[in-house]
Amino acid sequence: MYRIFKYDYMPSQWMTAKETLKHMLGFKLKLILVALLFGLFLVIGTIVTNHYMLKTSLIEYVDQRDQLHLERIKKNLQHVLTQRGEHDLSQMDEVTWKNLVGISSRVDFAETMVPAEVFLFHPFSEFKRFHPDYTEKRLSLMTTERQCIFGNETSNRTLFLPIELNDEKIGYIGYTHREELTESLDIQLEKRQRELITYSVAFLVLITGLLLLPIAHYFIHPVLAVTQGMRALTAGRFDTRLKVNRRDEMGQLLQDFNHLAKSLKKNQQSRNQWIADISHELRTPLTIIRGDIEAMKDGVRPLNQQTLDNLHSEVVHLNRLIDDLYQIALNDVGGLRYQMNRVNVTNLIKNALDNFHGQAETKGLKLYARLPEQDLFLLGDSDRLHQMLANLLANSIAYTDAPGEIHLTLTQNKKVLHLTLEDTAPTVSEEAMQHLFERFYRAEGSRNRRFGGAGIGLALVQQIVQAHQGDVTVSASQLGGLKFTLTLPQEAYAS
């Protein structure tokens, strides 16, 4: 049974309701405040930028409108000069210039049947002389040398529009660009546009703030679920599982949490099984030793050479078991060191066969070796490799029925050594083969000491092979038993 936590954040023994509320409000509030703060800077920047761009664009618009008016003034001026037959702008009086500028905003002399002199007949009003409009203030009539005849002096913002008669330039009309809005309608338009932008942005900020609440809730829920789940794992509740109902990165986070919880539970079970197996394996020889000693003390068993040999055998077995456990533990923590040297693998196999020849013969087994004529070498640790071969041979001798055979074959292919060990019946099931390299696993499925092994010899073999950057596999042998295949690179280094 697994605990499936939904995102309800109910109080539990590892997280109280107050702590849960504190976490929810704390992180969610921070996320909302950060988003709102960022949005506030964005809004302020948008308002300032839009107001500036609005003002600039309106001024440019009005300025372009004035330039269209300027073009009509130029055409009317050229029309008047042509009718009068004049070519010198300096002969024009100020009244004609002012009247021409004023009437050009409404009349195009070239498109009306009324003579231009009718519009220019009346003298320039005294009021307009002292109170010209904004356009007239920015206009100047200039000679070809850009000397001012009427109007203001030029500046770096002045636009010069040439006046031509018969393809001859006779002067310029100077126009100074606008720096601000002056017409009341233009100012009102700018004001209304500013208000519209401000209200629109404020409305968007309000909508964004309201939307941030469910969005923050959506993103924070799985984070808080993982936080609550981590507290459960810290309390040792490895059966905790989180409900996964999304397919984004947060969903992947929830899946990773469930995978972590499953791995921790498996590791806990393995650790408990490891402790139980060690206790069992150590208790058995100790029980035998203790029983024999107590029997000798009570006079039930005589103190003779046979009894001492039995005690010595149990002590040797216990010492070998403790040494194997120590080797595995060192390898797990990375404390097992390998002295890599050039090793003659052929001689190493021969020595191992000599050591186990008597033991195999006593059980009724025959050892066969197929070795190359030329010695093969490997960069490795000779002691560890000897231990690897010893464990393989001891395992085959222990689990092969008599009469039987054990075959060792060594070959080389592209600087890779291939070592195979095959034996005769019995064999094991394919399911059992997948567990042969696990610690304390024995194919017969019992924990008795029928064969004297503790089930860690093959685990050491795998560790030694992997330390030499090699690989070891097991499969069914054609001889009726098992076939162990080892591949060892000749230039391997310990990891």
Side-chain angles (χ1 to χ4, degrees), residues 339-341 343 348 380-387 468:
Q339 300 295 328
M340 310 303 281
N341 296 293
V343 179
L348 200 66
D381 189 311
S382 60
D383 294 335
R384 303 301 176 193
L385 291 175
H386 183 272
Q387 185 181 14
H468 287 79

Side-chain angles (χ1 to χ4, degrees), residues 36 96 120 122 140 164 174 212 240 244 270 298 303 312 388 392 403 416 427 446 451 459 461:
L36 287 178
T96 300
L120 303 176
H122 296 284
S140 302
E164 298 178 346
L212 279 175
T240 303
V244 181
S270 299
D298 296 338
L303 181 59
H312 181 264
M388 175 193 73
L392 281 174
V416 176
T427 186
S446 67
F451 301 108
V461 170

Side-chain angles (χ1 to χ4, degrees), residues 183-228:
E183 302 293 337
S184 60
L185 290 178
D186 296 335
I187 296 175
Q188 291 179 7
L189 176 62
E190 180 191 10
K191 182 179 179 181
R192 273 185 295 181
Q193 292 295 326
R194 288 177 183 271
E195 293 176 350
L196 179 61
I197 292 175
T198 303
Y199 293 150
S200 299
V201 172
F203 177 75
L204 290 177
V205 170
L206 178 61
I207 296 299
T208 303
L210 295 177
L211 290 177
L212 279 175
L213 291 174
I215 292 176
H217 183 76
Y218 176 78
F219 283 105
I220 293 174
H221 259 189
V223 176
L224 294 180
V226 172
T227 301
Q228 184 179 4

Side-chain angles (χ1 to χ4, degrees), residues 431-491:
E431 182 181 358
M433 290 182 188
Q434 301 176 2
H435 303 282
L436 287 181
F437 295 106
E438 295 180 5
R439 301 167 187 179
F440 297 109
Y441 181 82
R442 288 188 292 195
E444 78 274 8
S446 67
R447 303 308 304 171
N448 59 54
R449 305 178 69 250
R450 174 186 170 192
F451 301 108
I456 58 176
L458 294 181
L460 279 173
V461 170
Q462 186 182 52
Q463 288 184 351
I464 294 172
V465 171
Q466 291 177 350
H468 287 79
Q469 306 299 324
D471 186 34
V472 55
T473 58
V474 61
S475 59
S477 172
Q478 295 181 353
L479 300 178
L482 294 178
K483 177 181 180 181
F484 293 91
T485 304
L486 290 76
T487 57
L488 295 168
Q490 291 184 279
E491 296 181 357

Side-chain angles (χ1 to χ4, degrees), residues 105-340:
S105 61
R106 300 184 300 274
V107 179
D108 187 345
F109 293 164
E111 296 180 358
T112 180
M113 301 300 296
V114 180
E117 297 296 335
V118 173
F119 297 104
L120 303 176
F121 178 77
H122 296 284
F124 187 65
S125 93
E126 292 294 325
F127 179 81
K128 290 285 290 181
R129 181 186 299 274
F130 295 105
H131 303 283
D133 61 24
Y134 189 74
T135 303
E136 294 172 355
K137 290 181 179 179
R138 293 181 292 115
L139 291 180
S140 302
L141 184 64
M142 314 183 71
T143 64
T144 54
E145 292 79 16
R146 298 186 179 181
Q147 297 295 325
C148 182
I149 301 175
F150 303 116
N152 300 320
E153 295 294 333
T154 61
S155 65
N156 56 355
R157 294 177 55 84
T158 301
L159 170 68
F160 296 97
L161 188 65
I163 303 173
E164 298 178 346
L165 287 178
N166 301 324
D167 297 331
E168 181 182 354
K169 187 182 298 182
I170 62 173
Y172 296 94
I173 296 178
Y175 171 77
T176 303
H177 290 287
R178 285 180 178 266
E179 295 183 356
E180 60 182 5
L181 298 176
T182 57
E183 302 293 337
S184 60
L185 290 178
D186 296 335
I187 296 175
Q188 291 179 7
L189 176 62
E190 180 191 10
K191 182 179 179 181
R192 273 185 295 181
Q193 292 295 326
R194 288 177 183 271
E195 293 176 350
L196 179 61
I197 292 175
T198 303
Y199 293 150
S200 299
V201 172
F203 177 75
L204 290 177
V205 170
L206 178 61
I207 296 299
T208 303
L210 295 177
L211 290 177
L212 279 175
L213 291 174
I215 292 176
H217 183 76
Y218 176 78
F219 283 105
I220 293 174
H221 259 189
V223 176
L224 294 180
V226 172
T227 301
Q228 184 179 4
M230 291 300 294
R231 289 174 176 262
L233 296 182
T234 304
R237 305 179 69 92
F238 299 129
D239 57 346
T240 303
R241 298 293 184 272
L242 300 181
K243 184 178 180 180
V244 181
N245 56 2
R246 45 198 297 172
R247 299 181 179 179
D248 54 4
E249 288 79 1
M250 291 297 182
Q252 184 62 46
L253 176 63
L254 298 174
Q255 292 180 0
D256 292 342
F257 174 88
N258 290 339
H259 179 71
L260 173 63
K262 188 183 300 183
S263 299
L264 290 175
K265 185 176 181 63
K266 182 179 179 181
N267 291 338
Q268 184 191 41
Q269 294 173 346
S270 299
R271 183 178 67 248
N272 293 339
Q273 185 63 42
W274 166 259
I275 295 174
D277 291 338
I278 291 177
S279 301
H280 176 84
E281 295 298 334
L282 293 177
R283 184 168 56 249
T284 302
L286 287 175
T287 301
I288 296 175
I289 295 173
R290 179 181 177 181
D292 289 344
I293 293 176
E294 289 179 352
M296 287 186 292
K297 287 177 63 177
D298 296 338
V300 177
R301 179 173 296 180
L303 181 59
N304 53 28
Q305 186 63 39
Q306 182 179 358
T307 305
L308 292 176
D309 289 342
N310 291 336
L311 289 175
H312 181 264
S313 176
E314 293 299 332
V315 171
V316 170
H317 172 75
L318 183 61
N319 183 74
R320 184 170 65 249
L321 175 60
I322 294 175
D323 185 64
D324 288 345
L325 291 174
Y326 178 70
Q327 298 295 329
I328 289 179
L330 280 181
N331 187 79
D332 288 344
V333 300
L336 191 59
R337 296 291 181 261
Y338 287 78
Q339 300 295 328
M340 310 303 281

